[in-house]
């Protein structure tokens, strides 16, 4: 079993929809959680990061962590065609982050105009 | 402009021929890392470095070497490449503050080992 599981998609939604992207993990030592966006033929870019359970909001993006269920989510409100990309979750065991980082396999999202 | 550069961007080589992929960052970040990305397996960390002369293994270090002699550079060395090292490679740099996390990835190096 992989330490981090992520549905590869693809996920197709109409423009303006709310998108929910999810990851589950098995390592209860994970404390630091990140979401990246990767456009085709580009390197990943960090979108959101959080240390703790609960919600963190940044513009149209909300990251949610439920440590009791070992489940994290990224919500995108008012989705735009420019949001079409692969979204990767990642996590590490320390809040400092200077440690090994484990990624999910990524979910490909397509937002249809 | 904040930047992570990798060279070469594309490389086709043969089994056993030593190669080095360079990585350089201009942000004075302490933390640098190498990843490989393969279909269905996602990004997997090869090695990471917390500062000059400090490196540690990630999830898939076998067949790779790294060095961190200067803060800005973090080369990835394949002493004897094999076909299973055909992949897309990314270098990244990172700086973490009290409530900030700044990360940049390079543009990627597509390596084919025949």
């Amino acid at each position: 079993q992989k330490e981090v599981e992520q549905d590869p998609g693809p996920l197709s939604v109409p423009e303006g929809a709310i998108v929910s992207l999810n990851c589950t993990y098995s390592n209860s030592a994970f404390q630091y959680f990140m979401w990246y966006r990767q456009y085709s033929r580009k390197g990943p870019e960090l979108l959101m990061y959080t240390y703790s359970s609960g919600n963190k909001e940044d513009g149209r993006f909300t990251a949610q962590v439920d440590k009791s269920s070992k489940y994290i989510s990224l919500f995108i409100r008012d989705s735009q065609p420019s949001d079409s990309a692969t979204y990767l979750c990642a996590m590490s065991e320390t809040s400092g982050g200077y440690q090994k980082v484990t990624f999910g396999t990524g979910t490909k999202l397509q937002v249809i105009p | 402009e904040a930047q992570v550069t990798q060279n070469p961007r594309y490389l086709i080589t043969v089994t056993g021929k030593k190669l080095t992929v360079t990585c350089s960052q201009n942000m004075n970040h302490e933390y640098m890392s190498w990843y490989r990305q393969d279909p269905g397996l996602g990004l997997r960390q090869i090695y990471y470095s917390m500062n000059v002369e400090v490196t540690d293994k990630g999830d898939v270090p076998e067949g790779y070497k790294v060095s961190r002699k200067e803060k800005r550079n973090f080369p990835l060395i394949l002493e004897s490449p094999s076909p299973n090292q055909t992949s897309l490679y990314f270098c990244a740099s990172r700086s973490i503050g009290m409530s900030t996390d700044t990360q940049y990835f390079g543009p990627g190096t597509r390596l084919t080992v025949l």
Side-chain angles (χ1 to χ4, degrees), chain B residues 3-8 20-27 31-34 67-68 70-76 90-93 104-107 109:
Chain B
Q3 204 169 22
V4 176
T5 56
Q6 293 179 229
N7 283 292
T20 299
V21 184
T22 65
C23 173
S24 184
Q25 50 103 354
N26 63 0
M27 295 154 286
Y31 183 65
M32 297 186 75
S33 189
W34 274 103
S67 69
R68 187 92 183 272
E70 306 166 277
K71 202 170 187 180
R72 64 181 291 125
N73 296 323
F74 190 44
L76 180 70
F90 288 103
C91 179
S93 75
Y104 292 93
F105 278 74
T109 294

Side-chain angles (χ1 to χ4, degrees), chain A residues 2-3 32 34 36 38 41-46 49 51 56 88 92 95-106, chain B residues 9 30-31 35 37 40-43 45 48 50 57-59 90 94-103 105-107:
Chain A
K2 290 181 182 176
E3 276 192 299
Y32 190 68
M34 296 162 280
Y36 295 79
Q38 185 176 22
R41 301 182 186 278
K42 299 287 187 183
E45 55 181 314
L46 181 65
Y49 53 92
Y51 296 92
K56 181 179 180 181
L88 303 155
S92 61
S95 57
Y98 283 87
Q99 292 287 338
K100 195 168 65 169
V101 179
T102 303
F103 280 78
T105 53
Chain B
R9 294 288 312 281
E30 295 86 9
Y31 183 65
Y35 299 89
Q37 188 170 36
L41 296 176
L43 269 169
Q45 195 174 36
Y48 59 95
M50 289 178 278
K57 297 177 181 178
D59 283 323
F90 288 103
R94 186 176 187 187
S95 179
I96 298 183
M98 286 293 290
S99 59
T100 61
D101 186 342
T102 305
Q103 299 184 29
F105 278 74

Side-chain angles (χ1 to χ4, degrees), chain A residues 60-79:
Chain A
R60 295 186 297 113
F61 298 92
T62 299
Q64 189 176 79
V65 174
D66 182 349
K67 287 186 180 178
S68 62
S69 301
K70 298 191 183 69
Y71 189 88
I72 68 170
S73 300
L74 178 72
F75 298 97
I76 307 174
R77 289 183 298 282
D78 187 25
S79 56

